[in-house]
Amino acid sequence: MTNIRICLAGATGWAGSALSRGIFEAPDMELVAAISRSHAGQVLGEVISVAGLTTPIFATAADALITKPDVFVEYTKPDVAISNILSALRSGAHVVVGTSGLTEADYREINDVAQAVQRGVLAVGNFAITAVLLQKFAEMAAQYISHWEIIDYTHADKKDAPSGTARELANRLSKIREAQLDVPLDSIDGPKESRGVRLHGSQIHSVRLPGYIISVDAIFGMPDQKLILRHESGSSAEPYVSGALLAIRKVSQLVGVQRGLDSVMDF
Ligand SMILES: NC(=O)c1ccc[n+]([C@@H]2O[C@H](COP(=O)([O-])OP(=O)(O)OC[C@H]3O[C@@H](n4cnc5c(N)ncnc54)[C@H](OP(=O)(O)O)[C@@H]3O)[C@@H](O)[C@H]2O)c1
């Protein structure tokens, strides 16, 4: 069996450098190209201190795609992610999306292109197995409990809000039903913003403070009882690596956009 040839956009970043090491150590994968503007022209192993990792770094996806990867992994920022993903699909690669902040409209556009070129896109708001389990448990809860709200907590300098984890959770719960609001948003006495944003039928509140890393609460309420599901990430990007490797191995079996890691896991 030949190795999966991978191009990783954001290979020098916090999440991307951990994944670069994971790909380098995987027996069935080859990291053929990396993307980072500030380290273009350098060798990835020297930048992230991995001996023997000779992957060249390119400034743009257009340059990196000359290496003809089988799978393109997007781990940069939402402003550049869309054009990276569309370029990768048009070049014939399947795409794994780790970048957060893409909208539903973005995913509709990506799906149209992926369908047209018959390639798969696996978009995962959080590759950590514990976060995947939170989504599964929340889906179970939403079948029985009609009222819930989501709170996402991250470090103060995270620009995109709500977090990818919270967006994906809301999106998945919307497939079951919309969260019930006993007081409609336009009947609130006071600023509507105090009730957070309504996204995919869930109220989401985003807290951005120093001291937090990334966590999310899904709070389900019933008369005289409540269920609080909480996911907390630690400070390293290690928990995201095995999930991203699984996504890379599975994405070529898909056509079009698929959301969530559990769609390719055996539960
Ligand atoms: N799905 C998940 O499980 C998961 C887990 C962790 C993080 N994330 C998401 O992944 C994304 C990256 O997070 P991070 O913390 O690793 O960010 P980061 O440390 O700031 O790294 C960003 C990486 O992207 C590159 N980059 C940024 N803009 C670029 C551009 N315009 N062109 C080319 N390269 C560009 C950066 O290199 P240069 O600056 O040199 O270009 C760097 O390598 C975020 O959206 C984050 O929310 C998702």
Side-chain angles (χ1 to χ4, degrees):
M1 213 176 69
T2 54
N3 283 348
I4 307 170
R5 294 165 48 80
I6 300 154
C7 171
L8 174 51
T12 58
W14 177 74
S17 55
L19 181 57
S20 296
R21 285 187 196 91
I23 294 171
F24 180 58
E25 286 162 13
D28 56 341
M29 297 184 189
E30 186 186 350
L31 189 54
V32 296
I35 301 174
S36 145
R37 294 158 302 178
S38 51
H39 295 98
Q42 294 178 254
V43 169
L44 182 59
E46 287 170 11
V47 176
I48 64 168
S49 304
V50 178
L53 176 56
T54 57
T55 307
I57 303 178
F58 299 88
T60 66
D63 293 341
L65 286 165
I66 292 166
T67 59
K68 288 279 165 210
D70 303 311
V71 176
F72 183 94
V73 181
E74 170 47 51
Y75 236 160
T76 63
K77 297 288 164 192
D79 53 350
V80 73
I82 298 291
S83 76
N84 282 355
I85 295 165
L86 298 181
S87 303
L89 287 170
R90 291 184 178 121
S91 82
H94 299 278
V95 179
V96 170
V97 184
T99 309
S100 58
L102 278 74
T103 65
E104 289 315 297
D106 293 334
Y107 279 116
R108 278 195 295 276
E109 183 183 357
I110 293 167
N111 186 51
D112 288 346
V113 175
Q115 295 285 353
V117 297
Q118 292 287 287
R119 288 292 179 273
V121 177
L122 186 50
V124 180
N126 195 318
F127 287 111
I129 179 70
T130 45
V132 175
L133 288 171
L134 174 126
Q135 290 175 340
K136 295 296 281 183
F137 297 151
E139 283 174 330
M140 288 167 71
Q143 283 167 7
Y144 298 95
I145 306 174
S146 56
H147 292 69
W148 69 80
E149 303 206 3
I150 297 169
I151 309 179
D152 104 67
Y153 310 82
T154 80
H155 44 91
D157 57 350
K158 186 173 176 63
K159 276 192 172 170
D160 58 297
S163 69
T165 312
R167 281 174 191 266
E168 191 170 290
L169 178 59
N171 181 266
R172 296 173 64 118
L173 295 180
S174 71
K175 307 278 176 348
I176 294 161
R177 59 169 123 178
E178 297 209 341
Q180 194 174 317
L181 281 176
D182 288 354
V183 178
L185 296 176
D186 47 15
S187 305
I188 287 167
D189 291 337
K192 267 191 209 125
E193 292 77 10
S194 58
R195 298 287 295 114
V197 65
R198 186 133 185 111
L199 201 63
H200 307 303
S202 288
Q203 292 307 123
I204 309 183
H205 312 263
S206 293
V207 178
R208 297 289 178 265
L209 282 175
Y212 283 102
I213 302 173
I214 295 178
S215 30
V216 66
D217 289 348
I219 307 174
F220 292 84
M222 292 178 94
D224 220 20
Q225 52 183 320
K226 57 188 173 298
L227 171 68
I228 303 174
L229 299 172
R230 160 170 282 215
H231 179 262
E232 290 188 354
S233 300
S235 56
S236 98
E238 212 47 49
Y240 308 117
V241 173
S242 59
L245 295 179
L246 177 67
I248 290 168
R249 290 189 178 102
K250 297 284 188 175
V251 68
S252 63
Q253 297 170 9
L254 310 175
V255 173
V257 173
Q258 187 96 249
R259 307 282 288 274
L261 192 65
D262 61 313
S263 61
V264 295
M265 288 172 76
D266 300 324
F267 273 109

